[in-house]
Amino acid sequence: MPRLTHVDERGQARMVDVASKPVSVRTARATGVVETAAAEHIAAGSVPKGDVIAVARVAGIMAAKRTPDLVPLCHPIALHSVAVDLEVDSATGRVSIEARVTTADRTGVEMEALTAVAVAGLTVIDMVKAVDPLATITDIRVEEKAGGKSGSWHR
C-alpha cells in the first residue's frame, strides 16, 4: 500500500511540502446528489426561502474558495475558475450537483471541487428543510482530475 502523504514517518499529521513541485494547470470535477421530496418546489421556484439553485450555486463557489479554512491540511491556492451547476429532476426527486475547479499551482483542486459540491448540497437542504426535513445528500465524489505529476484520472 502506498504511503499516505499527509502523515510523517512517526504517523503524525503534516502539511505536504509542495515548494519543489512545478506549477501546472490542474482541474477537478466532483459531483453529488440531494434527494428531496421538494424537487418540484425547487424546479417551480416556489420554495419559501427563495431561489434554491442560485443560492446553492453561489454557496458552492464561495465554499471552494474557503476550502483550506475548512480542511486543515489543504494548501491555500489561487483558484482560477469555479463553476457549480445544479440540475433538478422532479420525477426522481433528485438535485444533481457538479463542480469544476481550475488552478495553475503546485497542488490539485480535488478538495475544492468536493467542498463546493458538499456546501451546495447543504445549502439545498437548508433552503428546503421546512418543506422536506428528510432531504439527504448522497454520492459526493471526485469524477475526474487532470494536471500535476500523476496526470489525468477519470472515475
Side-chain angles (χ1 to χ4, degrees):
M1 183 163 113
R3 188 174 79 74
L4 297 174
T5 59
H6 286 77
V7 178
D8 68 15
E9 309 77 40
R10 298 182 311 246
Q12 297 176 343
R14 69 177 179 111
M15 187 177 223
V16 175
D17 183 354
V18 298
S20 64
K21 292 173 111 181
V23 170
S24 68
V25 174
R26 296 158 186 267
T27 62
R29 183 172 65 88
T31 60
V33 173
V34 174
E35 296 176 352
T36 178
E40 284 187 37
H41 294 287
I42 296 169
S46 62
V47 174
K49 283 190 170 184
D51 186 341
V52 174
I53 301 302
V55 174
R57 180 180 296 114
V58 172
I61 292 167
M62 291 175 64
K65 297 188 314 183
R66 300 305 300 238
T67 299
D69 295 332
L70 301 168
V71 182
L73 301 179
C74 280
H75 292 84
I77 58 175
L79 301 182
H80 293 92
S81 172
V82 178
V84 177
D85 294 311
L86 295 94
E87 185 175 315
V88 182
D89 184 338
S90 299
T92 63
R94 296 168 61 96
V95 178
S96 299
I97 306 166
E98 178 182 85
R100 294 172 313 284
V101 181
T102 304
T103 190
D105 214 312
R106 292 178 167 88
T107 189
V109 286
E110 296 92 339
M111 294 308 300
E112 287 78 2
L114 288 166
T115 301
V117 169
V119 172
L122 289 169
T123 301
V124 170
I125 288 177
D126 179 54
M127 294 188 74
V128 303
K129 66 186 176 194
V131 179
D132 178 14
L134 301 177
T136 305
I137 302 171
T138 67
D139 301 321
I140 297 174
R141 63 191 192 185
V142 175
E143 297 291 345
E144 60 184 300
K145 67 87 133 188
K149 181 179 172 184
S150 59
S152 295
W153 176 87
H154 303 274
R155 179 171 293 283

